[in-house]
């Protein structure tokens, strides 16, 4: 069968030439790259070529199910135009070709289903740095039975984990491809102007991984030089955030208010008041500041009870909005504050508790990527979360986007 390949960039062609036709020869082919450099195109091309050259089973492992469906749909679209598809199952993301080959796209979220995978052609781990090592270790023994070559493509993340370990491994059966190498002219994918714009608008960690395509070496001190943003404000508040605490073990309820210049103008906290007293004080704060446009309050767990009780006592009920904390929403609001410190767009008080909590924050790998958390078991993150919720309220008000807050 004649296979006509699309145009490949120099960095893509190098991987293709090294990997093409390596049936049953094993080996790891590691691609490290920033985002939007053509990783997905290469992945789709490689599995299709392997599937067409010889009857085999090819597997792509994606971090999440939504990526599986997208990649499966794109592969089917390419093959259908050439009349090469016998059957396609959108639910299982499996495609059978006219020569008997199979292409399966599976999610790292479905560990039970991937335990039964067989791979005789090419195995691909897409965004490998965002897959858990456990998922990779489940798949690899199933691949090694048939000595299927393994292609690992990813935007880098931390200097730890399977992807990083293979990247620094110089064994002869491991082939490395650094798409972040300045020898490649990638200006049509990302211009110098775009790079400088991302440098201003991305956090340091995000810029390092997604734009520069480099691993994060320092996981601590995520808020940077926050002490250069100290100052006082006596202006009236317009936005704020509330993080509710349990009232025990040093866990505080914290209210943080911002003035019109993104300066923290008031912080109130407690961990020794009865619930009703907290409700009364917080509702009085809101009622006594007619300048307030919006307050967001965390509504996870006991926060939902506090939220409803406070709202019942407000003169302007629309001022209080809920914020639901998930890993995704937490990451979003924390990164807004990281960027604000980075660009000196925020001012915070010289508060010992807040400064200590800011200094203990770290970036941590999760099953689906990364998150931020307090790394000191002797402190909480209530002051930081109140700050982040309040600041996100300010930032998102400019665009009318309310992110991950849900209305009640």
């Amino acid at each position: 069968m004649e296979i006509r390949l699309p145009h490949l960039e120099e960095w893509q062609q190098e991987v293709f030439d090294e990997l093409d036709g390596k049936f049953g020869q094993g080996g790891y082919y590691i691609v490290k790259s920033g985002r939007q450099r053509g990783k997905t195109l290469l992945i789709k091309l490689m599995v299709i070529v392997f599937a067409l050259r010889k009857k085999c089973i090819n597997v792509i492992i994606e971090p999440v199910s939504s990526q599986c469906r997208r990649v499966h749909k794109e592969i089917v679209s390419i093959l259908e135009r050439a009349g090469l598809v016998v059957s396609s199952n959108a639910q299982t993301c499996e495609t059978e070709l006219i020569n008997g080959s199979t292409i399966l796209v599976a999610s790292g979220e479905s560990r039970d289903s991937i335990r039964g995978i067989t791979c005789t052609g090419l195995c691909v781990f897409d965004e490998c740095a965002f897959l858990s090592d456990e998922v990779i270790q489940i798949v690899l023994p199933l691949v090694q039975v048939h000595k299927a070559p393994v292609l690992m493509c990813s935007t880098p993340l931390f200097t730890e984990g399977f992807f990083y370990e293979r990247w620094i491994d110089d064994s002869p059966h491991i082939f490395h491809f650094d798409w972040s190498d300045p020898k490649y002219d990638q200006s049509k994918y990302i211009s110098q102007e775009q790079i400088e714009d991302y440098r201003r608008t991305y956090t340091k960690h995000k810029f390092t991984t997604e734009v520069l395509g480099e691993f994060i070496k320092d996981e601590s001190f995520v808020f940077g030089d926050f002490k250069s943003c100290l100052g006082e404000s006596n202006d009236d508040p317009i936005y704020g955030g509330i993080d509710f605490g349990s009232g025990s073990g040093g866990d505080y309820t914290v209210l943080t208010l911002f003035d019109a210049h993104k300066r923290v103008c008031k912080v109130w906290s407690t961990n020794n008041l009865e619930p009703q007293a907290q409700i009364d004080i917080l509702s009085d704060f809101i009622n006594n500041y007619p300048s307030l446009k919006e307050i967001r309050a965390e509504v996870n767990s006991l926060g939902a009870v506090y939220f409803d009780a406070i709202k019942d006592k407000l003169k302007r009920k629309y001022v209080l909005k809920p914020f639901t904390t998930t890993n995704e929403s937490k990451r979003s609001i924390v990164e807004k504050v990281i960027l604000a410190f980075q660009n000196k767009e925020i001012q915070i008080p010289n508060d010992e508790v807040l400064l200590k909590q800011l200094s203990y924050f770290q970036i941590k790998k999760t099953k689906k990527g990364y998150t931020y958390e307090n790394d000191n078991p002797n402190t909480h993150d209530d002051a930081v979360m109140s700050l982040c919720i309040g600041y996100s309220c300010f930032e998102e008000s400019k665009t009318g986007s309310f992110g991950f807050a849900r209305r009640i």
Side-chain angles (χ1 to χ4, degrees), residues 206-396:
K206 189 173 183 179
F207 181 78
T208 299
T209 59
E210 296 190 8
V211 179
L212 300 183
E214 301 296 341
F215 290 95
I216 299 173
K217 296 181 177 64
D218 181 10
E219 297 181 32
S220 62
F221 214 55
V222 298
F223 291 105
D225 185 19
F226 59 83
K227 289 186 178 180
S228 66
C229 297
L230 298 181
E232 301 295 330
S233 169
N234 295 315
D235 288 0
D236 289 338
I238 59 172
Y239 293 104
I242 303 173
D243 182 74
F244 293 109
S246 64
S248 62
D251 188 19
Y252 281 70
T253 292
V254 183
L255 164 70
T256 303
L257 298 176
F258 285 86
D259 67 19
H261 304 286
K262 299 184 182 180
R263 301 177 301 195
V264 174
C265 54
K266 189 170 187 63
V267 177
W268 177 84
S269 63
T270 182
N271 76 334
N272 58 6
L273 290 177
E274 293 295 327
Q276 188 57 52
Q278 292 190 48
I279 292 166
D280 292 341
I281 291 174
L282 287 169
S283 58
D284 284 345
F285 268 126
I286 299 172
N287 284 329
N288 290 335
Y289 283 114
S291 58
L292 282 171
K293 296 181 178 181
E294 184 176 321
I295 295 282
R296 291 189 189 178
E298 181 263 334
V299 293
N300 294 64
S301 187
L302 60 84
V305 178
Y306 279 110
F307 181 91
D308 290 336
I310 292 170
K311 194 163 190 174
D312 284 343
K313 297 174 69 67
L314 297 183
K315 299 174 183 176
R316 299 178 300 144
K317 300 185 186 303
Y318 62 85
V319 170
L320 188 64
K321 299 292 196 311
F323 179 86
T324 302
T325 303
T326 64
N327 179 46
E328 188 177 2
S329 67
K330 180 178 181 180
R331 191 170 63 211
S332 174
I333 63 174
V334 169
E335 289 184 348
K336 284 181 173 63
V337 174
I338 292 173
L339 193 60
F341 282 127
Q342 182 176 303
N343 295 333
K344 304 296 187 289
E345 294 177 346
I346 187 175
Q347 181 177 291
I348 59 173
N350 189 8
D351 180 273
E352 181 181 355
V353 173
L354 174 60
L355 299 185
K356 183 181 293 186
Q357 289 187 13
L358 286 168
S359 68
Y360 287 136
F361 250 60
Q362 288 194 341
I363 182 171
K364 292 289 186 180
K365 184 178 181 180
T366 66
K367 294 178 181 179
K368 297 182 180 181
Y370 64 95
T371 190
Y372 299 95
E373 61 183 38
N374 190 328
D375 196 50
N376 188 320
N378 298 316
T379 64
H380 291 266
D381 65 356
D382 37 46
V384 172
M385 291 309 298
S386 175
L387 177 80
C388 293
I389 293 171
Y391 188 80
S392 70
C393 179
F394 196 124
E395 280 292 283
E396 292 168 17

Side-chain angles (χ1 to χ4, degrees), residues 11 20 49 77 129 163 188 206 224 256 282 348 387 390:
W11 53 93
D20 185 29
V49 169
S77 176
F163 182 71
K188 77 176 187 180
K206 189 173 183 179
T256 303
L282 287 169
I348 59 173
L387 177 80

Side-chain angles (χ1 to χ4, degrees), residues 80 137 200 253 365:
E80 281 184 335
Q137 295 295 353
R200 292 189 299 271
T253 292
K365 184 178 181 180

